[in-house]
Amino acid sequence: SAVISQKPSRDICQRGTSLTIQCQVDSQVTMMFWYRQQPGQSLTLIATANQGSEATYESGFVIDKFPISRPNLTFSTLTVSNMSPEDSSIYLCSVGGVTEAFFGQGTRLTVV
Amino acid sequence: RKEVEQDPGPFNVPEGATVAFNCTYSNSASQSFFWYRQDCRKEPKLLMSVYSSGNEDGRFTAQLNRASQYISLLIRDSKLSDSATYLCVVNLNNDMRFGAGTRLTVKP
């Protein structure tokens, strides 16, 4: 199993600003995943972050908007850049995959 | 077509009822399958894995039909605490794809 500490848990931000979300895992993992969950929707994969290489982004998500860092095997950050109200959502990091995925507690972002 | 499709719900059932959720997936190469539970304002947590032979965990039974690319979850004797959103999840090469979720409310 894995325990993930994600922060901040929530934030209210002004449009045009950026927010960086952090995830710390209690064990070393090769891949970390970043998801977005919009109100009433399921989880949509934003990108996969591998340590030592650039993140792989899903269709509809670009690095300029959602830059990701993965400096070591236990930590990752996702930045939501130049925010607009459409970015209001819950953002979740995750590890694991084949047998089970573990999630951080989520960051509830509201852009005003 | 969505990669993972679920009953939209919501399901509102009385305590003690039996309720079934269905899910279909589009990629026949998918390797593993799960049901996750997500409580309001919480992160998803694994409820159970799903196997072709079918598996049961107490009041919960999950079934996979690879030929039809269909997954089901049966909850017997529903409890108030079963109220949550149930997510069908399909994995291919460590890439987890989530269904939209089915919201269940169990009422007294």
Side-chain angles (χ1 to χ4, degrees):
Chain A
S1 67
V3 177
I4 305 174
S5 175
Q6 181 174 345
K7 58 182 181 182
S9 59
R10 60 177 60 229
D11 209 340
I12 301 174
C13 300
Q14 297 289 327
R15 66 179 67 200
T17 63
S18 298
L19 175 72
T20 296
I21 303 167
Q22 301 179 7
C23 274
Q24 179 76 50
V25 189
D26 69 342
S27 57
Q28 294 186 338
V29 294
T30 304
M31 298 168 72
M32 292 182 71
F33 305 89
W34 286 97
Y35 290 89
R36 181 173 73 184
Q37 187 173 29
Q38 294 182 306
Q41 304 293 318
S42 190
L43 284 73
T44 300
L45 182 64
I46 297 171
T48 302
N50 293 322
Q51 197 274 330
S53 63
E54 285 204 3
T56 303
Y57 288 82
E58 297 297 302
S59 176
F61 298 97
V62 295
I63 188 170
D64 289 346
K65 176 67 176 177
F66 297 101
I68 288 172
S69 79
R70 187 79 207 276
N72 57 54
L73 289 171
T74 63
F75 187 78
S76 180
T77 68
L78 170 77
T79 299
V80 186
S81 303
N82 188 25
M83 288 183 284
S84 66
E86 291 71 35
D87 294 321
S88 297
S89 188
I90 297 172
Y91 293 85
L92 294 136
C93 62
S94 173
V95 301
V98 176
T99 56
E100 182 174 354
F102 300 92
F103 292 87
Q105 300 89 339
T107 297
R108 184 175 295 271
L109 171 63
T110 303
V111 183
V112 297
Chain B
R1 182 185 174 189
K2 292 182 181 177
E3 293 182 37
V4 182
E5 294 202 60
Q6 288 185 244
D7 287 344
F11 285 68
N12 299 304
V13 303
E15 269 188 294
T18 296
V19 60
F21 302 143
N22 302 316
C23 171
T24 57
Y25 59 97
S26 61
N27 192 332
S28 60
S30 298
Q31 298 162 318
S32 50
F33 310 88
F34 311 91
W35 284 101
Y36 273 71
R37 171 188 170 135
Q38 186 173 25
D39 293 291
C40 188
R41 296 178 179 269
K42 299 285 188 181
E43 73 275 20
K45 293 187 178 178
L46 180 66
L47 176 66
M48 58 196 305
S49 301
V50 189
Y51 307 111
S52 295
S53 55
N55 47 306
E56 187 173 314
D57 182 2
R59 298 179 293 108
F60 298 83
T61 301
Q63 195 78 42
L64 165 66
N65 184 322
R66 281 191 179 271
S68 302
Q69 296 178 204
Y70 172 91
I71 304 161
S72 65
L73 176 68
L74 183 74
I75 305 176
R76 293 181 299 278
D77 188 23
S78 301
K79 311 292 185 189
L80 297 177
S81 57
D82 293 334
S83 298
T85 297
Y86 291 82
L87 301 168
C88 176
V89 184
V90 174
N91 175 64
L92 174 61
N93 297 328
N94 276 342
D95 185 353
M96 294 281 217
R97 298 290 167 162
F98 290 77
T102 302
R103 186 175 182 86
L104 171 66
T105 301
V106 182
K107 299 183 176 181

